[in-house]
Amino acid sequence: MGHELTVQEKYHLITRNLQEVLGEDKLKAILKERELKIYWGTATTGKPHIAYFVPMSKIADFLKAGCEVTILFADLHAYLDNMKAPWELLELRTQYYENVIKAMLESIGVPLEKLRFVRGTDYQLSKEYTLDVYRLSSVVTQHDAKKAGAEVVKQVEHPLLSGLLYPGLQALDEEYLKVDAQFGGVDQRKIFTFAEKCLPSLGYAKRIHLMNPMVPGLTGSKMSSSEEESKIDLLDRKEDVKKKLKKAFCEPGNVENNGVLSFIKHVLFPLKSEFVILRDEKWGGNKTYTDYGELEKEFAIEIVHPGDLKNSVEVALNKLLEPIREKFNSPQMKKLASSAYPDPSKAKPAIKGPVKNSDPEEVVPSRVDLRVGKVLSVEKHPDADALYVEKIDVGEPEPRTVVSGLVEFVPKEELQDRLVVVVCNMKPQKMRGVESQAMLLCACSSGEPSQIEPLDPPAGSCPGEHVFVEGYESVQPDDELKPKKKVFEKLQVRRSSVLDTRISKDSTAQWKGKNFMTKLGNISCKTLTCGSIR
């Protein structure tokens, strides 16, 4: 353990790289008596991208300074901000944020046990909080509320009332999270000053506000989730990172609005207290900078070339992203990512004319197009170590390409030429750049460590043969299972949370106690019993 930090050292860590601090004297006074309690909130809207490493890096500073840090997943705010997160996606997006933010913090070495994670809806729907929202609405003018949210809330010609509530809720969060300070970007300044004015009028204390500068995106403007080229997604592949960095604005000698330099200053430097420029021996070889000012100066006088700067950032950034990519490579996380952020290009156009009856359709196994398949070839996915890319004959003129996360569970040679059970009417989905046109069904153990075995059709089955559940053999399957209807997912779980689709004690695949079968007999698995099917 190092020495106990002095008040001055704590103050330096808390405020370094910040653009502005409102309430410096109060901050110093608290540090003389105890540790600072601080929170950072993020509305669960667009996908977090690499600019989120900027606040994460400061959170690491706060923890080093001994602060008690709360991270708020502001799910209700996400809905109120012009419905950037639709109500039905809110829970999924909040889960996505929670997983991705924790993965980012782990990637930069932040101990999660020192943090408190809270969701807005955990307390913002309480009687006390709701009453305070009404109290606040009686002392805040429409003009002040609109002005406070001008930089943060989406500005539209006919603003919704929800956007006017947003700044007041953010002010109340400071009181209800019992903190001394709130941290955010300088774009939050108007909300912060609004909070300083409002809270005392309700009899609550004015808080300290710490503001990060707005770090330019790779195009030289604010890095934004809605600008595809200006941001690198946390799950982007290495080649995408390279491509986007190549396009990044980084003029020789220009240190203004330089997103690449800003990223080094606000993320990479604070994490390691140094940065290595990687370059060819003929240009002087690698050089380690322990002072950011020196690196910026040498870039300004063109000793450091933009190409070398970008390459060095690419290497350092991929090191940070690797554990996040790894975490989100599991089938469960992939499903979460695609459910929380459905591909808009695949959304159905609005249907004109009378609206169909919205009664829930009957969910029966015959709606799923299950067939016997034969694995013709198995290869490792070029961009994902945990995935196989298989060619499977399902009785059509051409084999289908299927991507499966089975590398850890089933050796390649065990899949080659094997008969399997395949879901053939799921919507094709890209998995790390390769389109998967069907899904291979497997039995999964219920205990740890996980064991997975592909389902086995009866011996002598042929590719394309119909697989059905006893008693449901005559109904035509859907042309395509619509992801939103979640037919396959609904077949898997009963309301009591006992799995409907499961493996029996004698290793037979069943739905509600009835066997999956072909005309030749039952579908089973080699060794597993009492597991699930997925």
Side-chain angles (χ1 to χ4, degrees):
M1 288 289 286
H3 74 290
E4 179 104 0
L5 295 178
T6 65
V7 167
Q8 198 46 47
E9 285 169 331
K10 287 179 182 178
Y11 181 81
H12 169 71
L13 268 175
I14 290 167
T15 59
R16 72 168 171 177
N17 281 338
L18 292 180
Q19 182 161 322
E20 192 177 359
V21 178
L22 298 174
E24 278 181 83
D25 294 342
K26 191 175 178 182
L27 172 57
K28 286 174 182 167
I30 289 171
L31 288 176
K32 282 177 188 166
E33 290 176 28
R34 58 173 173 80
E35 306 302 2
L36 186 75
K37 294 175 183 176
I38 187 165
Y39 102 88
W40 172 74
T42 179
T44 51
T45 54
K47 259 189 178 180
H49 45 82
I50 62 160
Y52 279 64
F53 274 119
V54 177
M56 296 303 112
S57 178
K58 273 313 297 173
I59 285 166
D61 279 347
F62 298 150
L63 288 172
K64 281 178 204 156
C67 300
E68 292 176 29
V69 183
T70 298
I71 290 180
L72 171 69
F73 298 109
D75 46 0
L76 201 54
H77 283 82
Y79 178 69
L80 291 174
D81 185 3
N82 217 51
M83 288 187 291
K84 278 186 186 169
W87 197 259
E88 62 275 13
L89 291 180
L90 210 50
E91 171 62 24
L92 290 165
R93 290 204 175 165
T94 306
Q95 281 178 32
Y96 182 86
Y97 263 70
E98 207 161 319
N99 279 289
V100 93
I101 297 284
K102 285 179 179 177
M104 290 176 83
L105 289 162
E106 285 171 326
S107 145
I108 63 173
V110 171
L112 296 186
E113 63 276 8
K114 289 192 171 182
L115 292 159
R116 179 170 70 126
F117 295 94
V118 179
R119 291 181 179 204
T121 47
D122 289 346
Y123 64 91
Q124 288 165 346
L125 301 174
S126 71
K127 184 180 170 185
E128 297 76 16
Y129 188 94
T130 306
L131 188 57
D132 270 345
V133 173
Y134 286 129
R135 285 175 65 207
L136 200 58
S137 70
S138 69
V139 293
V140 171
T141 66
Q142 181 191 339
H143 170 269
D144 286 355
K146 190 177 179 193
K147 185 178 150 197
E151 303 285 326
V152 176
V153 179
K154 189 176 178 183
Q155 299 300 295
V156 290
E157 196 183 343
H158 301 292
L160 296 168
L161 181 59
S162 57
L164 297 176
L165 292 174
Y166 189 107
L169 267 69
Q170 194 168 332
L172 287 172
D173 290 342
E174 297 179 344
E175 173 63 27
Y176 279 78
L177 291 170
K178 302 294 174 204
V179 293
D180 307 308
Q182 184 179 174
F183 162 63
V186 77
D187 59 338
Q188 305 269 337
R189 194 181 194 283
K190 287 177 179 167
I191 288 184
F192 289 169
T193 53
F194 172 81
E196 291 187 12
K197 185 180 160 189
C198 288
L199 286 188
S201 68
L202 296 185
Y204 298 139
K206 186 164 98 170
R207 266 53 181 201
I208 298 159
H209 293 103
L210 309 174
M211 282 165 271
N212 246 352
M214 294 314 291
V215 175
L218 299 174
T219 53
S221 58
K222 176 186 167 183
M223 204 179 281
S224 162
S225 302
S226 51
E227 278 181 50
E228 205 49 48
E229 284 307 322
S230 93
K231 56 112 186 179
I232 291 173
D233 190 87
L234 295 163
L235 305 181
D236 273 351
R237 297 169 309 165
K238 286 183 178 180
E239 49 270 46
D240 296 326
V241 172
K242 187 184 274 296
K243 197 167 77 182
K244 287 180 181 179
L245 273 170
K246 227 173 189 162
K247 288 184 181 176
F249 175 78
C250 189
E251 228 171 33
N254 185 353
V255 297
E256 297 300 313
N257 276 335
N258 186 324
V260 183
L261 269 179
S262 293
F263 192 75
I264 297 171
K265 179 180 180 180
H266 291 281
V267 176
L268 302 174
F269 234 101
L271 293 178
K272 298 268 195 248
S273 302
E274 63 173 41
F275 186 71
V276 183
I277 290 288
L278 308 167
R279 59 185 171 194
D280 209 294
E281 285 302 326
K282 64 179 176 186
W283 304 116
N286 297 353
K287 180 169 179 184
T288 301
Y289 292 86
T290 52
D291 171 29
Y292 171 76
E294 188 195 351
L295 170 62
E296 191 178 276
K297 193 170 131 194
E298 294 203 346
F299 183 82
I301 56 176
E302 299 188 31
I303 290 175
V304 175
H305 184 269
D308 294 329
L309 193 75
K310 287 180 180 184
N311 288 342
S312 309
V313 167
E314 185 191 332
V315 170
L317 180 55
N318 275 318
K319 270 188 194 161
L320 291 181
L321 295 180
E322 203 41 55
I324 303 171
R325 290 185 192 120
E326 198 54 44
K327 179 175 178 174
F328 275 80
N329 204 17
S330 73
Q332 186 190 0
M333 285 299 164
K334 282 179 177 168
K335 187 180 169 189
L336 175 61
S338 59
S339 309
Y341 296 94
D343 185 341
S345 67
K346 293 181 180 171
K348 285 195 309 188
I351 298 168
K352 289 179 182 167
V355 179
K356 282 186 188 170
N357 181 3
S358 59
D359 284 345
E361 298 171 59
E362 195 186 2
V363 177
V364 288
S366 48
R367 293 180 61 183
V368 182
D369 183 2
L370 292 170
R371 298 184 216 168
V372 173
K374 184 178 182 182
V375 180
L376 304 179
S377 69
V378 190
E379 298 298 336
K380 278 273 197 83
H381 192 297
D383 297 316
D385 293 340
L387 302 179
Y388 283 134
V389 178
E390 302 115 7
K391 293 282 182 198
I392 301 183
D393 178 2
V394 291
E396 295 169 341
E398 291 295 323
R400 293 205 191 188
T401 301
V402 178
V403 180
S404 308
L406 296 176
V407 172
E408 289 173 47
F409 305 101
V410 186
K412 198 171 161 178
E413 44 290 356
E414 265 189 48
L415 275 178
Q416 183 66 48
D417 300 320
R418 180 177 186 147
L419 288 176
V420 289
V421 177
V422 183
V423 179
C424 290
N425 59 342
M426 294 194 111
K427 197 167 187 177
Q429 193 178 1
K430 277 208 171 175
M431 296 178 80
R432 298 294 286 272
V434 176
E435 189 179 75
S436 186
Q437 299 160 335
M439 184 171 84
L440 195 154
L441 278 190
C442 293
C444 311
S445 64
S446 48
E448 291 292 333
S450 288
Q451 287 176 278
I452 293 180
E453 295 176 359
L455 292 182
D456 292 320
S461 298
C462 298
E465 222 163 272
H466 180 41
V467 175
F468 54 89
V469 171
E470 250 176 304
Y472 292 88
E473 48 268 52
S474 56
V475 186
Q476 271 292 103
D478 290 14
D479 289 341
E480 187 183 74
L481 295 175
K482 304 297 178 196
K484 276 190 178 172
K485 298 261 170 93
K486 293 190 169 15
V487 173
F488 190 74
E489 290 83 347
K490 285 174 185 169
L491 284 170
Q492 288 176 297
V493 185
R494 253 205 310 261
R495 283 181 190 275
S496 62
S497 291
V498 176
L499 284 169
D500 277 343
T501 309
R502 60 194 329 264
I503 300 298
S504 70
K505 286 178 181 168
D506 64 356
S507 302
T508 304
Q510 295 184 331
W511 181 73
K512 290 192 174 179
K514 294 180 189 288
N515 293 347
F516 279 86
M517 54 197 303
T518 71
K519 60 186 181 191
L520 295 178
N522 293 337
I523 304 291
S524 59
C525 65
K526 280 197 168 45
T527 64
L528 297 180
T529 58
C530 303
S532 59
I533 297 173
R534 59 173 197 241

